[in-house]
Amino acid sequence: MLSVQLDEYLAEMNLSATAEQKKQLIGFVEMLNKWNKAYNLTSIRDPQQMLIRHIMDSLAVSKHLVGERFIDVGTGPGLPGIPLAIMNPERSFVLLDSLGKRIRFQKQVQHELGIHNISSVESRVEAFEPEVKFDGVLSRAFASIEDMLHWCHHLPAETGCYYALKGQLADNEMANIPQGFEVTDIIELQVPRLDEQRHLLRVIKK
């Protein structure tokens, strides 16, 4: 049962969720699994693996977020933005992706699961001009850090920062952080039942 596993994983990560939040997280996995058959939204086919590799992997950064307004760039089907939005109802998340089928899925998730703090935008990141800048710019499995900072330089507010969710950290990638940016934190993340490295990099403009 996904709900039993979810309870276990949340407890391992010291995250508390209401019954409604748990229902939404499970509902998201079920919708991802259902839509995946036609839309090919993720290479992961098993709902139990989706729970670990998508939901818990996304939620591992939840307690490290600072601020109210976030944008998830290259969000795909809504990762990490949708799980984070479910667990942080007081914060708002813009989900940005350039593929229409992913945006349609996100909007259906928003409608069916009643998630009121997300909005989906179909755009390439470099073409998106927000009216109000963001406290945090999130990216998961989206290009190199160098490319992320280059394409997203116009998105954070003056005091905002970038949150890059990475697997193993490559020395050459870390060496290529562009001038004008500073890595303030490298946080090792623990994801239940996932025997792979996960890191969160926090980056600010100098």
Side-chain angles (χ1 to χ4, degrees), residues 8-94:
E8 275 179 34
Y9 301 158
L10 288 170
E12 277 187 48
M13 293 174 75
N14 281 330
L15 291 171
S16 57
T18 64
E20 177 66 15
Q21 286 170 321
K22 291 175 187 177
K23 188 175 157 193
Q24 288 174 322
L25 290 170
I26 297 293
F28 181 49
V29 172
E30 289 171 349
M31 288 186 71
L32 194 52
N33 185 45
K34 178 179 156 189
W35 278 60
N36 205 32
K37 294 174 174 68
Y39 279 75
N40 198 26
L41 297 166
T42 167
S43 59
I44 296 168
R45 303 290 178 208
D46 173 30
Q48 294 181 332
Q49 283 299 310
M50 287 178 183
L51 186 60
I52 295 167
R53 292 181 166 275
H54 287 332
I55 306 301
M56 305 318 296
D57 196 40
S58 295
L59 292 183
V61 303
S62 184
K63 59 187 168 191
H64 301 292
L65 300 180
V66 178
E68 304 298 322
R69 285 174 43 77
F70 295 85
I71 182 167
D72 178 10
V73 295
T75 183
L79 298 162
I82 288 176
L84 288 173
I86 289 171
M87 292 294 280
N88 295 274
E90 74 289 353
R91 293 171 159 146
S92 66
F93 293 81
V94 171

